[in-house]
Amino acid sequence: MTNIIYIVADDLGYADLGCYGGREAQFGQVSPNIDQLAEEGMLFLEGYANSPVCSPTRFALMTMAYQYRLRGALEEPINTRSKGSTTLGLPPHIPTLPSQLQKAGYHTGLIGKWHLGYPPHFGPRASGYDEFYGIMAGGVDYFTHKSGRGDNDLWINEEEHQEIGYLTDLLSDRAVEFVHRRADSADEKPFFLSLHYTAPHWPWETRDDAEEAEKLTHLYHLDGGNIHTYRRMIHHMDEGIGRIMAALEEHGLTEDTLIVFTSDNGGERFSDSWPLVGGKMDLTEGGIRVPWIVRWPKVVKPGSVSMQHCMTMDWSRTLLEAGNGEVDPDYPVDGVSLMSILNGDSDGFERPLYWRMKHRGQRALRMGDWKYLKVDEHEYLFNITNDARERANQSKLQPQRLEEMRQSWLDWNETMPPIPEDATVSLCYTTADMPQR
């Protein structure tokens, strides 16, 4: 059976990686190991996240369904007020990608960011992971591992854990140890590893910034950071991925290990999303279009590039199929398997993608070349294939298409629970504060 590693970066911009056109020549190579995954596998140029903000995307990743179906995912995102809540989290009775792979015979582990509700009511091991090492919150200091509330937020399973070290390196260390341990395990179970880095999420700290981190008074750190620090944070993550690949190679596991790399949403203040505009919290392309890279030598042709439209829940559905897991019939999913794309049986298929956000009343629908977008009561229609920067609003030139896409979004929205009035929007930073190009 195939081993599976699902790597998720945090707030990574669409073009931050070399393989997506990052600024390699000016600043030096930042992501050689991730770029190599793309060279040895398939790179998707028009793949998306389920949300432009972190925890809603993670709900979709876990459930393989639109996050809007669950109350906790209607927060944008879940914040520290959810501590002790019995509703703001991923309910343990909901089938998940890891729980269904467990049933298919996998040993499952989450290393890194959870951000789907706090114990005792919620947690990784209540939702299908055999083991957990990482953080529960949306972001922590990379050295003290304290959340925005000032409390320690590093955990092993359900127990708080104290450990000295730069968080990105600690997560990489634990992932390498996981690979070695599972490769040598007597139970011979295949493994599913979710490796959810916090890099390059704020606070902007490299592994050499311990002294500066001691002076930090607020994690949001909006007066700090720079492009060089941000890129080094990505590089630290990339180095860890290289070490994981070396561990797989040592045990002869590289050929039949399926590796997927992505981000939970678009980038923040220092990210590169060219040619896209917008970022985290926005349903413009820069907020939702993210890298998707898959390496699976036994199935995927190396050096492949796909224009297939897809989003987070589709990839989780694909990984379930790759692991011979089954969807629980009592909890149907919205994700569509991409297996026909990976194995070369199909060049692509129609895949409409829907989004909504309480923040600024945003709506979006991507269907074929076209995108319907609504922000602050203003409606837009873009041909994304010709206008990835979303500058030429075609709504007045194509009123019929606008009406059809608006109605399609409304019809879809009727199938989703409404956003409750008490759902919160946590705005530590938005692209509204960013100078426009």
Side-chain angles (χ1 to χ4, degrees):
M1 294 174 70
T2 298
N3 295 310
I4 302 171
I5 302 179
Y6 204 167
I7 306 174
V8 183
D10 201 339
D11 292 358
L12 185 73
Y14 176 76
D16 279 328
L17 306 174
C19 55
Y20 279 89
R23 304 184 183 101
E24 300 293 291
Q26 183 178 358
F27 292 99
Q29 195 172 16
V30 68
S31 55
N33 293 296
I34 301 172
D35 296 346
Q36 186 172 346
L37 294 180
E39 291 174 7
E40 297 173 352
M42 183 178 290
L43 180 146
F44 285 69
L45 293 180
E46 297 204 14
Y48 292 86
N50 262 70
S51 171
V53 66
C54 39
S55 61
T57 293
R58 295 168 194 274
F59 275 96
L61 183 155
M62 290 290 287
T63 64
M64 299 169 282
Y66 277 114
Q67 64 272 23
Y68 316 108
R69 298 188 182 280
L70 296 176
R71 172 62 185 88
L74 299 179
E75 304 286 301
E76 299 174 357
I78 283 180
N79 59 29
T80 52
R81 82 178 179 92
S82 67
K83 273 201 169 181
S85 172
T86 60
T87 57
L88 301 184
L90 177 57
H93 72 275
I94 299 292
T96 64
L97 171 62
S99 72
Q100 298 308 99
L101 286 176
Q102 263 185 343
K103 293 179 180 179
Y106 277 76
H107 181 89
T108 60
L110 170 60
I111 295 172
K113 179 173 172 176
W114 168 245
H115 204 196
L116 293 174
Y118 290 88
H121 302 292
F122 311 105
R125 294 217 303 165
S127 289
Y129 289 109
D130 291 307
E131 56 182 277
F132 169 59
Y133 173 94
I135 71 168
M136 297 284 186
V140 301
D141 183 87
Y142 283 82
F143 294 96
T144 67
H145 315 139
K146 291 182 179 180
S147 71
R149 292 165 56 102
D151 52 348
N152 178 69
D153 196 54
L154 186 60
W155 301 72
I156 294 180
N157 296 331
E158 293 78 43
E159 300 295 326
E160 291 190 36
H161 174 66
Q162 300 283 345
E163 187 170 355
I164 296 173
Y166 180 67
L167 184 58
T168 301
D169 292 338
L170 293 180
L171 299 181
S172 297
D173 291 345
R174 187 63 61 133
V176 169
E177 184 274 334
F178 180 96
V179 170
H180 286 311
R181 174 162 45 88
R182 293 311 307 168
D184 294 333
S185 175
D187 65 23
E188 298 184 349
K189 284 185 176 182
F191 63 78
F192 169 61
L193 171 61
S194 292
L195 176 55
H196 297 178
Y197 283 103
T198 60
H201 192 286
W202 49 253
W204 291 284
E205 300 167 338
T206 76
R207 69 165 67 104
D208 300 318
D209 291 335
E211 292 185 5
E212 288 79 358
E214 291 178 0
K215 305 171 187 175
L216 191 63
T217 58
H218 201 289
L219 284 186
Y220 300 151
H221 200 207
L222 296 186
D223 58 348
N226 56 62
I227 184 65
H228 306 287
T229 294
Y230 176 80
R231 288 173 59 83
R232 287 189 66 200
M233 293 171 71
I234 297 172
H235 188 64
H236 295 332
M237 173 178 63
D238 183 83
E239 290 173 322
I241 292 171
R243 292 174 52 218
I244 293 163
M245 293 304 298
L248 292 171
E249 181 69 36
E250 181 178 334
H251 294 284
L253 298 176
T254 56
E255 287 301 301
D256 196 27
T257 295
L258 167 55
I259 301 172
V260 170
F261 176 90
T262 190
S263 177
D264 60 349
N265 48 250
E268 275 211 34
R269 60 192 301 202
F270 297 117
S271 65
D272 184 4
S273 296
W274 180 262
L276 315 178
V277 296
K280 185 176 180 178
M281 297 298 299
D282 298 337
L283 290 182
T284 47
E285 291 290 287
I288 51 177
R289 199 190 297 192
V290 294
W292 283 105
I293 298 167
V294 56
R295 182 191 187 277
W296 192 10
K298 281 198 172 181
V299 174
V300 175
K301 182 180 178 181
S304 304
V305 175
S306 176
M307 304 299 290
Q308 174 65 45
H309 298 165
C310 54
M311 64 199 318
T312 311
M313 62 187 182
D314 298 334
W315 283 93
S316 295
R317 177 69 184 85
T318 305
L319 297 187
L320 183 66
E321 181 177 340
N324 295 318
E326 297 182 357
V327 171
D328 188 315
D330 294 329
Y331 294 88
V333 303
D334 302 304
V336 176
S337 174
L338 303 169
M339 193 63 70
S340 64
I341 304 296
L342 302 190
N343 62 24
D345 287 344
S346 171
D347 292 330
F349 53 85
E350 185 68 39
R351 176 70 177 111
L353 306 172
Y354 298 87
W355 296 267
R356 72 182 189 190
M357 286 283 287
K358 183 175 183 180
H359 173 53
R360 301 182 68 185
Q362 296 179 81
R363 306 173 179 178
L365 162 61
R366 178 75 197 268
M367 184 179 294
D369 293 338
W370 293 89
K371 180 177 177 181
Y372 164 68
L373 177 68
K374 184 177 181 181
V375 183
D376 292 333
E377 302 305 317
H378 300 289
E379 289 187 309
Y380 306 89
L381 181 66
F382 299 111
N383 184 315
I384 296 297
T385 302
N386 294 332
D387 179 26
R389 288 182 64 74
E390 297 168 286
R391 294 307 200 197
N393 185 6
Q394 303 289 309
S395 60
K396 292 183 179 179
L397 295 176
Q398 300 214 35
Q400 182 65 30
R401 187 185 298 275
L402 175 68
E403 170 59 28
E404 290 173 357
M405 295 190 73
R406 178 198 298 123
Q407 189 59 52
S408 179
W409 187 93
L410 292 170
D411 292 343
W412 165 81
N413 192 53
E414 284 295 312
T415 69
M416 298 292 152
I419 301 175
E421 289 298 322
D422 64 343
T424 63
V425 178
S426 300
L427 292 177
C428 61
Y429 174 77
T430 76
T431 52
D433 304 312
M434 182 187 297
Q436 295 298 306
R437 304 187 192 203

